[in-house]
Amino acid sequence: MIGLDVGSTTAKRVKIEDGEIKFEITGTHNWKDLVEGIGKEDIISTGYFRHSVPHKASVTEITAARFGAEYYFPGVEVIVDIGGQDTKVIDVKKNNFIINDKCSAGTGAFLEFVANYFKIELTEMGRLHSKAKRIPQINNTCGVFAVSEMISQLVAGYSKEEVIAGIHYAFARRISFMIPEAETIVLIGGTVKNEGMISALRDILNKEILIPEEPQIVNALGALEYSE
Amino acid sequence: MPKIGITALVPPELIFACGGQPYDVNNVIPESKKYPKNKLCAWTAIWQEMLVKREIKIDSLIVVAGGDCHNALVDGQKAAMSGIPTHFFFYPFDGDHKYMESQLHSLCSFLGDIKHPEKFRQIKELKKAGQLIDKKRVNGKISAGEAFRILVSISDLMGDLDKFKRALDIKTPHLNAGIGVNRIALIGVPPIYHDFHDVAQSLDLQIVFDELPYEFVRHTGADLNEVAKDYCNYTFARPLDFRIGFLQKELEKRKVDGVIHYTQFACHHTLEDEILRQELDYPILTIQGDLPGKTPEQIKLRLEAFREMIARS
Ligand code: SF4
């Protein structure tokens, strides 16, 4: 049995062999490579394209995230999944979830917008953040308005690194409104690799933030776990 | 028969008794393709625009303002300013039936007084039959979609008591047998999507309670006095603890497994979500709609995930 997560940008396959997690990640357009030689009855699918790929059973990415996070951190209370198109907060204890998918504020798309503005790679933002000496106050997380605020801060004498740190803090504040009371939070999704973002979240939330060893495969693993 | 537009629950007993034909201006909205220009809540924005442009043809309008919706109060005034004879109707927040009675009397004068007192009893009987429809769907005898369409149409009884009576005769021949698995209460204002109940059912969520339409069917009275005593307990107009107390009993009776709280963009009822979550001891899914049409994919995803959650808890 495999867990197959086919999302909007990447596809992931997870298998458990002798108690060990084996996984593979590829671009969504290559998803077929992941199921070569595997029958439909051996696939539990999840992700945006879960209904379009062969599967024995499918499960939403919300439920898959719960089961996947539970695998790494038994007793998990809150899961925050910051993806490219949306951000999901799953309150496991209360059986509740909030999804922000109406606007890019508070999703990975906003950070991408900022990276584009500075003509840098998204992956560089965390490193630049760590060089900031001061953190300017940026209030807007709407891509369009944030740019004019960033320009004002640059004109006021803040460095690029500092403005990026300010952006991470604005982003973390925005996300914090969605997060319920809990001791610990499990963070998954693409932005998990951005250390600047994570340190801003730690600061703003004042909570313990746990990150799974392989944050990208949590949902594929969760689909597999759900079926069991 | 003059056609009397209503913006929310106004005792249809009284409108029929005064010789009017009630017409709920919300009827056209879920199927509407309009993108209103100046909008907060799409419900009021769309009927306001359609009334002002005379795309909904009525002779006069009753706006439910007090205890219900301030967006309607403002949009209702815009309709009034466009030249539609308009009356503003206020429910008592404290449930004072004397106040309710005085409101009904002033509504009577607006409508030209009671001419057909027999309508009260006729409607009372029809609402009893409507309650049976509600019971049948609680027991899985008819589909949630069909029950909802009947219950929600009780606000104006389709403007025609005979037509409504005929509509009560529904059967769902191919209802699937898996009913009773995930029993859902749908609370808040009704969803703005025209296919919501059918979508929920296709995802194995069986809606066994529709909060607002149930208010439409349960309030009635054999004369003005009885109507005043009964409608003053219209839960949406009363303080939250009153409404929550009522909900708690209803949800227990209907043995629900989970609650879906539908909220409408820019509607003050959204603010109640926090309290409802605190007070109702069930898994709760909150969704928010904005413009009418089909249930969007993102909402379907939430419904599906909610089903997965309930199924495992
Ligand atoms: S959804 Fe809310 S704002 Fe809109 S008409 Fe109903 S009560 Fe008013």
Side-chain angles (χ1 to χ4, degrees):
Chain A
M1 196 64 88
I2 64 158
L4 181 69
D5 172 10
V6 187
S8 49
T9 49
T10 54
K12 303 107 186 169
R13 180 191 65 201
V14 165
K15 234 191 301 205
I16 297 183
E17 276 173 9
D18 307 324
E20 217 184 296
I21 299 175
K22 297 267 166 68
F23 66 92
E24 192 145 343
I25 302 175
T26 181
T28 296
H29 53 284
N30 292 327
W31 70 270
K32 278 195 176 141
D33 299 350
L34 300 181
V35 293
E36 234 182 71
I38 301 174
K40 164 179 158 185
E41 57 295 341
D42 286 326
I43 302 172
I44 309 293
S45 66
T46 185
Y48 187 73
F49 292 107
R50 67 188 177 284
H51 296 306
S52 330
V53 299
H55 58 269
K56 178 185 171 209
S58 71
V59 55
T60 59
E61 45 272 46
I62 299 167
T63 305
R66 275 183 68 179
F67 280 81
E70 181 77 26
Y71 180 93
Y72 286 106
F73 305 107
V76 50
E77 291 175 275
V78 173
I79 303 160
V80 181
D81 180 352
I82 308 171
Q85 310 300 324
D86 60 17
T87 290
K88 303 183 192 75
V89 175
I90 306 167
D91 185 341
V92 180
K93 260 198 319 204
K94 286 216 185 113
N95 244 357
N96 180 32
F97 41 86
I98 306 168
I99 313 176
N100 165 28
D101 52 20
K102 286 222 178 66
C103 76
S104 67
T107 75
F110 168 68
L111 295 179
E112 213 164 299
F113 190 86
V114 174
N116 276 342
Y117 174 80
F118 285 110
K119 300 204 170 40
I120 54 171
E121 290 296 319
L122 199 55
T123 46
E124 260 182 276
M125 284 185 55
R127 191 179 52 78
L128 291 172
H129 177 124
S130 64
K131 291 192 182 139
K133 295 203 174 62
R134 305 169 295 168
I135 294 163
Q137 174 84 21
I138 290 173
N139 296 315
N140 271 298
T141 43
C142 159
V144 179
F145 294 138
V147 166
S148 62
E149 263 199 277
M150 287 186 330
I151 296 170
S152 314
Q153 301 293 14
L154 290 167
V155 171
Y158 286 101
S159 68
K160 174 164 95 183
E161 289 78 4
E162 288 166 342
V163 168
I164 285 173
I167 282 290
H168 285 147
Y169 272 82
F171 188 92
R173 267 194 299 277
R174 164 91 194 198
I175 302 248
S176 71
F177 298 136
M178 297 168 69
I179 298 178
E181 275 309 312
E183 305 264 300
T184 57
I185 286 166
V186 174
L187 202 59
I188 61 176
T191 38
V192 164
K193 287 182 233 127
N194 180 339
E195 323 85 67
M197 173 71 235
I198 290 168
S199 78
L201 266 177
R202 282 211 167 96
D203 241 20
I204 298 277
L205 296 176
N206 215 354
K207 292 180 174 129
E208 192 185 351
I209 294 181
L210 306 169
I211 297 167
E213 214 175 302
E214 298 294 346
Q216 276 177 288
I217 59 151
V218 170
N219 287 3
L221 175 65
L224 193 56
E225 286 291 300
Y226 180 81
S227 72
E228 258 141 46
Chain B
M1 242 178 164
K3 198 167 166 183
I4 316 292
I6 53 173
T7 65
L9 181 63
V10 176
E13 290 85 353
L14 201 65
I15 303 176
F16 277 106
C18 291
Q21 179 191 27
Y23 177 76
D24 190 330
V25 294
N26 297 294
N27 287 352
V28 290
I29 293 175
E31 301 274 359
S32 150
K33 296 207 162 51
K34 287 214 170 285
Y35 291 90
K37 252 191 285 162
N38 193 358
K39 84 175 249 303
L40 283 174
C41 160
W43 288 103
T44 70
I46 293 176
W47 60 244
Q48 182 269 122
E49 206 175 289
M50 291 180 79
L51 285 174
V52 169
K53 291 188 180 156
R54 304 294 188 265
E55 290 167 356
I56 298 177
K57 293 204 173 47
I58 52 169
D59 297 296
S60 54
L61 177 68
I62 305 168
V63 176
V64 181
D68 194 286
C69 173
H70 273 66
N71 288 354
L73 179 62
V74 177
D75 277 334
Q77 290 178 72
K78 290 185 192 165
M81 285 171 190
S82 80
I84 299 171
T86 304
H87 178 82
F88 293 89
F89 185 77
F90 294 80
Y91 280 99
F93 183 60
D94 60 1
D96 177 3
H97 72 92
K98 287 278 163 225
Y99 175 86
M100 186 73 203
E101 214 177 294
S102 74
Q103 279 291 313
L104 292 175
H105 279 300
S106 74
L107 179 59
C108 264
S109 334
F110 175 73
L111 293 169
D113 278 336
I114 295 177
K115 299 177 198 79
H116 310 286
E118 72 283 2
K119 296 286 177 194
F120 282 101
R121 280 193 187 280
Q122 281 176 19
I123 294 173
K124 197 170 172 182
E125 286 307 308
L126 285 175
K127 286 197 173 177
K128 254 193 218 156
Q131 297 245 20
L132 281 182
I133 296 280
D134 182 52
K135 270 219 183 80
K136 275 190 193 166
R137 73 85 177 269
V138 171
N139 299 328
K141 299 261 171 17
I142 51 175
S143 77
E146 277 171 301
F148 171 74
R149 286 186 278 277
I150 289 287
L151 293 175
V152 83
S153 73
I154 290 178
S155 63
D156 61 7
L157 294 144
M158 302 176 172
D160 178 342
L161 300 187
D162 291 328
K163 185 177 171 194
F164 180 75
K165 198 171 175 182
R166 285 195 301 274
L168 282 172
D169 186 27
I170 48 167
K171 297 176 185 78
T172 311
H174 305 297
L175 203 58
N176 64 30
I179 288 167
V181 191
N182 304 301
R183 297 169 66 84
I184 300 298
L186 179 59
I187 64 169
V189 299
I192 201 159
Y193 309 121
H194 58 78
D195 61 353
F196 187 83
H197 286 71
D198 303 325
V199 165
Q201 184 147 348
S202 73
L203 295 170
D204 282 335
L205 294 167
Q206 183 72 18
I207 298 174
V208 296
F209 180 58
D210 280 288
E211 186 184 11
L212 193 61
Y214 189 59
E215 290 298 303
F216 296 174
V217 71
R218 81 182 181 100
H219 295 296
T220 190
D223 54 35
L224 187 141
N225 194 268
E226 256 188 58
V227 164
K229 284 206 172 114
D230 194 342
Y231 276 78
C232 66
N233 287 330
Y234 169 42
T235 52
F236 267 61
R238 299 293 306 276
L240 265 179
D241 53 354
F242 181 85
R243 179 176 153 208
I244 288 168
F246 180 80
L247 278 177
Q248 275 160 338
K249 278 193 223 122
E250 223 31 70
L251 302 195
E252 206 179 307
K253 245 194 341 220
R254 291 169 196 249
K255 301 195 172 53
V256 308
D257 302 307
V259 174
I260 297 177
H261 183 204
Y262 176 83
T263 63
Q264 175 70 23
F265 171 73
C267 170
H268 66 286
H269 285 299
T270 310
L271 299 173
E272 295 163 349
D273 189 59
E274 212 186 308
I275 306 169
L276 291 167
R277 285 182 167 279
Q278 241 167 49
E279 301 295 324
L280 299 176
D281 201 11
Y282 295 89
I284 299 186
L285 170 73
T286 304
I287 51 178
Q288 184 161 88
D290 185 4
L291 290 167
K294 281 189 184 167
T295 305
E297 289 305 315
Q298 284 300 333
I299 295 220
K300 287 188 192 163
L301 172 73
R302 288 162 165 84
L303 293 176
E304 209 178 327
F306 190 55
R307 199 250 348 266
E308 290 165 353
M309 265 186 196
I310 300 180
R312 285 282 170 133
S313 62

